[in-house]
């Protein structure tokens, strides 16, 4: 592994007291460059601030290194103040490719967004959503009655997807996980593994009676009637992990938890 040289670090943080205090301490120890001049961005907080940085610096080549000052922090490294430059120079960079979502709402408005973790569809009333699922232009499920459905990337497979009992995907797998949320009919359907070459279309049936919202990471679209999702291989974000605790190791550890 070729070791990079880190001369300038830009620190960003969430607005929690823990993250702000960590940022102040690190800036005092290591200085703080502007984000335009930095060799690396160090994000302090939880997975939310990391996702925000990955979106903001997409397609810039800027690597993002997170340290956990939040709750779960699956996308973050352990928070330590000592030897930060050495850790950054040894850290492994993993490229991430987002999902694109093209959505149409009931008024005919069109929206586009990118998702690094997942695209999710959720009922917004007391009644179950009814969804039609197509893959590459062919209807694969005429009607799915459920609370919602998730299309997850490998990096997002340990997030909402895992809570919905979806599979954990190795980070380098060319796969997407399609996972139902509380499927009512067909009750036994547990989802599907799809290639990143596939294009998925989700249509809301009886949309006036059973309205559905769609979300791409932190962006939400209300009253959608049709959405198309596919991986954008031309877009890329760069995330960094300590070399002794790589993403592969994190995912393997998660797979064998019980």
């Amino acid at each position: 592994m070729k070791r990079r040289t880190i001369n300038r670090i830009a620190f960003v943080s969430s607005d929690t007291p823990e993250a702000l205090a960590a940022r102040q301490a690190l800036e005092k120890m290591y200085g703080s460059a502007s984000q335009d001049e930095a060799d690396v961005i160090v994000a302090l907080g939880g997975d939310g601030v990391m996702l925000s940085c990955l979106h903001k610096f997409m397609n810039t080549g800027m690597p993002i290194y997170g340290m956990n000052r939040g709750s779960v922090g699956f996308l973050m490294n352990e928070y330590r103040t000592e030897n930060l430059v050495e850790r950054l120079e040894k850290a492994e960079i993993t490229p991430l490719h987002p999902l694109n979502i093209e959505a149409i709402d009931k008024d005919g408005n069109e929206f586009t967004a990118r998702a690094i973790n997942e695209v999710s569809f959720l009922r917004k009333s007391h009644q179950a959503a009814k969804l039609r699922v197509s893959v590459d232009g062919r209807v694969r499920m005429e009607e799915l009655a459920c609370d919602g459905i998730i299309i997850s990337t490998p990096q997002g497979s340990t997030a909402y997807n895992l809570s919905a009992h979806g599979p954990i995907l190795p980070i380098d797998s060319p796969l997407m996980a399609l996972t139902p949320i509380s499927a009512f009919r067909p009750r036994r359907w547990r989802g599907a593994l799809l290639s990143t070459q596939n294009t998925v279309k989700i249509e809301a049936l009886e949309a006036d009676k059973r309205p559905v919202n769609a979300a791409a990471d932190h962006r939400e679209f209300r009253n959608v009637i049709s959405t198309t999702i596919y991986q954008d291989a031309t877009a890329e974000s760069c995330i960094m992990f300590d070399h002794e605790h790589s993403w592969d190791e994190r995912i393997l550890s998660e797979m064998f938890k019980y």
Side-chain angles (χ1 to χ4, degrees):
M1 179 183 65
K2 184 177 179 181
R3 182 163 174 163
R4 70 189 64 84
T5 300
I6 301 295
N7 294 314
R8 299 177 298 272
I9 304 171
F11 294 95
V12 299
S13 69
S14 64
D15 57 3
T16 65
E18 294 82 3
L20 291 170
R23 179 176 177 177
Q24 184 178 29
L26 289 167
E27 286 180 339
K28 185 175 181 180
M29 295 176 67
Y30 298 100
S32 182
S34 70
Q35 295 179 8
D36 293 335
E37 297 177 343
D39 300 310
V40 62
I41 304 292
V42 172
L44 302 159
D47 288 345
V49 71
M50 172 57 81
L51 284 173
S52 178
C53 286
L54 291 171
H55 277 281
K56 179 178 180 180
F57 294 98
M58 189 178 293
N59 291 331
T60 67
M62 178 68 74
I64 314 296
Y65 179 92
M67 286 201 287
N68 190 15
R69 291 285 82 191
S71 53
V72 178
F74 187 82
L75 302 177
M76 314 299 274
N77 298 281
E78 180 185 354
Y79 176 72
R80 300 197 308 269
T81 59
E82 67 277 5
N83 302 320
L84 178 59
V85 173
E86 182 179 0
R87 289 172 69 189
L88 293 172
E89 291 180 341
K90 290 181 178 180
E92 298 178 2
I93 296 179
T94 299
L96 306 178
H97 301 291
L99 299 178
N100 270 8
I101 174 174
E102 299 171 356
I104 302 173
D105 69 14
K106 67 176 184 179
D107 297 319
N109 299 309
E110 299 182 5
F111 307 91
T112 60
R114 285 173 171 155
I116 291 171
N117 265 4
E118 78 272 323
V119 176
S120 57
F121 303 85
L122 299 168
R123 67 173 186 171
K124 57 171 294 188
S125 74
H126 66 282
Q127 290 187 300
K130 287 188 177 180
L131 307 174
R132 178 185 294 125
V133 182
S134 301
V135 180
D136 294 337
R138 180 177 175 182
V139 176
R140 293 292 179 177
M141 186 164 290
E142 189 64 45
E143 183 177 292
L144 170 65
C146 58
D147 282 352
I149 198 169
I150 302 165
I151 301 160
S152 172
T153 62
Q155 60 269 16
S157 67
T158 58
Y160 194 5
N161 172 73
L162 182 58
S163 297
H165 307 290
I168 299 174
L169 305 178
I171 191 61
D172 57 352
S173 61
L175 299 171
M176 303 180 291
L178 183 65
T179 303
I181 304 170
S182 300
F184 179 64
R185 286 198 173 87
R187 196 182 298 268
R188 294 181 181 275
W189 189 61
R190 293 293 180 261
L193 288 178
L194 303 176
S195 166
T196 52
Q197 302 300 310
N198 293 139
T199 297
V200 182
K201 185 175 183 180
I202 308 291
E203 298 170 272
L205 308 178
E206 303 177 26
D208 289 334
K209 180 181 179 183
R210 304 171 185 271
V212 174
N213 291 348
D217 286 347
H218 55 275
R219 291 190 62 189
E220 186 175 26
F221 306 100
R222 296 184 177 276
N223 300 309
V224 298
I225 60 170
S226 177
T227 53
T228 301
I229 306 98
Y230 57 93
Q231 187 194 70
D232 185 357
T234 67
E236 182 177 282
S237 299
C238 299
I239 192 169
M240 302 174 74
F241 283 105
D242 290 328
H243 74 287
E244 73 273 10
H245 197 183
S246 68
W247 205 331
D248 289 337
E249 173 59 29
R250 287 164 184 255
I251 288 182
L252 279 171
S253 296
E254 199 71 33
M255 285 180 176
F256 286 93
K257 283 185 177 178
Y258 56 89

